[in-house]
Amino acid sequence: MNPFALFRLVKRSGYKFIFWEIYWTIRFISPKKLINFIRIFYQDKYTKPQHVTGFPVKLTIDLTGNCLLHCPLCPTGQGDKSRSRGEMAPENFYRLIDEISGYLFEVDLFNWGEPFLNKNVFNFVRYGHRKNIKTRISSNLNFFPEGYEQEIVKSKLHHLVVSLDGITQESYGQYRVGGSIELVKSAVRRIRAEKIKKRSLFPFITWQFIIMRQNEQEVEEARRLANPWGFDRIVFQKARTDMGLDLFETDREKTEKYSGWIPKESSETNYNLKDKSRKWRPPTCHFLWNQSVVNWNGSVSPCCLYYDEKYDFGNAFQNDFMKVWNNKKYAEARRLVKEGNSSDKELICWNCLKNGFPE
């Protein structure tokens, strides 16, 4: 049976997504990627060297530092000036992908900005697909002009995550300040109609619902509405509190400071946010050995959890990415995580050791 026909027979959305991920991972794998994957994860799990032999298996590329919404817990929405704003140029994107495409399983084309504001976004997605890399975009979908539904299906975007935190404008607009729930719903309907018209499975569409005080009573209704509204599945996430300060505050400080946004702990189990039966493991950082983040201007962040550009480790457009990947900053950060000490007291990674590694 054709794998796409088999995909359509799978009923449960969670299984559909697993099938989708596994199929394209196998479809895009190569001996070179597999060898790099084994090498990288052996180093991550067992040896944790300061200088990594191999390339990241996943890359986050922020296509723009701009966004049209003003979400109160997001540094971009707050107007934070500690990271520069702009859009990634095509020549820089292609050069970066050409350097490490032979090792990548997936590229996230988003981080601090709204990716569809970069006019070259669909060319970037197409290029990733041609290079046998799964591409993922997370968007608020408040900027999605007519015709974009055709481009997104034609580009073969692997996975679209839509940030939609509520089922009414009242609850949605409290966090997505300046956003319109009707624009989001319209965009999803247009994409789904185009997928049906073109008999395409691209992209897989996930509704990401961040649970906060103002929308926690809408969880079950959102679960029921996911398919009628055009989504392939829905996932629920906890609010991360102020994302710009996430690594600088203790759990107690976050709870006290952002209690107006965070839902009550007593009701958390109703959301199926995580498997509480999982065996506890000592917290650590895996990003430093198997993933990396490249911002719109080439500035390289060791992870996607902090905002201030002064903590970045180098620039992949001024040097080859591999030179940044194993430079002095990266080496000291890896030593800090492994040994608990480093001569570089300015490393952002000290905050993780002090406040606990985030989940």
Side-chain angles (χ1 to χ4, degrees):
M1 180 181 286
N2 184 298
F4 293 145
L6 181 60
F7 174 83
R8 289 188 174 94
L9 291 176
V10 179
K11 299 299 182 184
R12 292 186 60 179
S13 61
Y15 294 148
K16 274 183 177 289
F17 184 68
I18 293 171
F19 181 98
W20 185 247
E21 288 291 294
I22 291 175
Y23 174 78
W24 286 105
T25 299
I26 294 173
R27 177 79 178 269
F28 283 163
I29 205 166
S30 68
K32 187 177 182 180
K33 284 185 181 182
L34 183 59
I35 291 170
N36 182 71
F37 176 88
I38 295 170
R39 180 185 292 150
I40 285 293
F41 275 86
Y42 179 83
Q43 293 171 92
D44 178 18
K45 186 172 179 61
Y46 297 107
T47 61
K48 294 194 179 295
Q50 292 182 45
H51 294 275
V52 177
T53 304
F55 283 85
V57 298
K58 180 180 177 181
L59 198 63
T60 295
I61 302 178
D62 204 6
L63 300 185
T64 178
N66 300 313
C67 187
L68 66 170
L69 300 189
H70 302 282
C71 306
L73 300 182
C74 172
T76 306
Q78 295 166 359
D80 193 319
K81 304 297 184 184
S82 60
R83 185 168 291 279
S84 57
R85 307 287 181 93
E87 294 184 3
M88 184 171 289
E91 60 270 20
N92 289 329
F93 179 87
Y94 299 141
R95 174 190 161 194
L96 177 64
I97 292 297
D98 286 345
E99 182 184 358
I100 58 175
S101 62
Y103 307 92
L104 291 173
F105 283 81
E106 181 175 321
V107 170
D108 285 351
L109 299 176
F110 64 93
N111 196 23
W112 297 113
E114 167 50 52
F116 289 118
L117 291 176
N118 189 313
K119 59 183 178 297
N120 295 293
V121 58
F122 299 114
N123 291 331
F124 296 160
V125 172
R126 276 189 285 269
Y127 198 71
H129 189 83
R130 287 202 299 269
K131 291 286 188 175
N132 293 332
I133 306 169
K134 294 186 296 181
T135 52
R136 182 169 68 132
I137 282 178
S138 181
S139 168
N140 58 56
L141 277 191
N142 273 260
F143 180 82
F144 202 78
E146 292 290 334
Y148 269 36
E149 68 274 11
Q150 299 168 20
E151 291 295 327
I152 198 171
V153 172
K154 188 165 56 175
S155 70
K156 295 187 176 180
L157 176 68
H158 177 76
H159 186 196
L160 174 65
V161 180
V162 180
S163 300
L164 180 58
D165 316 308
I167 61 174
T168 66
Q169 181 61 37
E170 182 182 6
S171 60
Y172 169 79
Q174 285 189 52
Y175 182 70
R176 302 289 168 179
V177 178
S180 166
I181 194 171
E182 290 305 319
L183 282 178
V184 180
K185 290 163 62 178
S186 172
V188 174
R189 285 195 299 265
R190 283 157 44 205
I191 296 170
R192 186 173 196 174
E194 184 67 16
K195 287 171 64 175
I196 293 171
K197 178 181 176 182
K198 297 298 183 183
R199 297 184 178 180
S200 174
L201 297 177
F202 294 99
F204 191 98
I205 310 175
T206 292
W207 176 355
Q208 178 179 268
F209 189 115
I210 298 177
I211 300 173
M212 291 171 275
R213 284 287 176 86
Q214 73 273 12
N215 63 23
E216 59 180 333
Q217 74 281 358
E218 298 177 344
V219 167
E220 291 308 317
E221 182 67 7
R223 205 189 302 273
R224 187 187 68 79
L225 288 171
N227 188 259
W229 280 7
F231 295 96
D232 293 307
R233 70 165 183 160
I234 185 170
V235 296
F236 299 98
Q237 302 283 351
K238 290 193 298 184
R240 270 180 54 195
T241 69
D242 190 317
M243 293 181 285
L245 300 175
D246 214 10
L247 301 185
F248 297 89
E249 298 178 327
T250 65
D251 287 342
R252 174 176 289 184
E253 288 172 330
K254 293 172 187 174
T255 301
E256 292 174 351
K257 190 173 179 181
Y258 308 108
S259 58
W261 293 100
I262 304 169
K264 299 174 183 177
E265 287 295 321
S266 60
S267 59
E268 180 186 315
T269 53
N270 296 328
Y271 308 142
N272 297 319
L273 292 176
K274 60 183 179 179
D275 180 4
K276 295 183 180 294
S277 67
R278 288 184 304 176
K279 184 178 179 181
W280 183 86
R281 293 182 177 85
T284 186
C285 174
H286 299 285
F287 248 94
L288 292 170
W289 284 272
N290 61 51
Q291 298 183 45
S292 189
V293 179
V294 180
N295 298 288
W296 72 269
N297 59 352
S299 189
V300 177
S301 305
C303 75
C304 59
L305 293 177
Y306 70 88
Y307 189 75
D308 198 326
E309 198 165 16
K310 72 180 181 182
Y311 296 110
D312 286 350
F313 282 13
N315 193 292
F317 298 161
Q318 296 172 4
N319 300 286
D320 290 340
F321 174 82
M322 193 57 177
K323 291 180 180 178
V324 179
W325 177 238
N326 273 317
N327 66 10
K328 186 177 180 181
K329 281 281 187 183
Y330 257 114
E332 281 300 304
R334 291 172 185 137
R335 185 162 81 90
L336 174 60
V337 171
K338 181 180 181 181
E339 301 175 8
N341 193 25
S342 169
S343 59
D344 188 344
K345 302 304 179 183
E346 301 300 317
L347 285 171
I348 186 67
C349 309
W350 279 105
N351 292 279
C352 282
L353 264 70
K354 183 174 88 170
N355 297 325
F357 290 96
E359 295 181 14

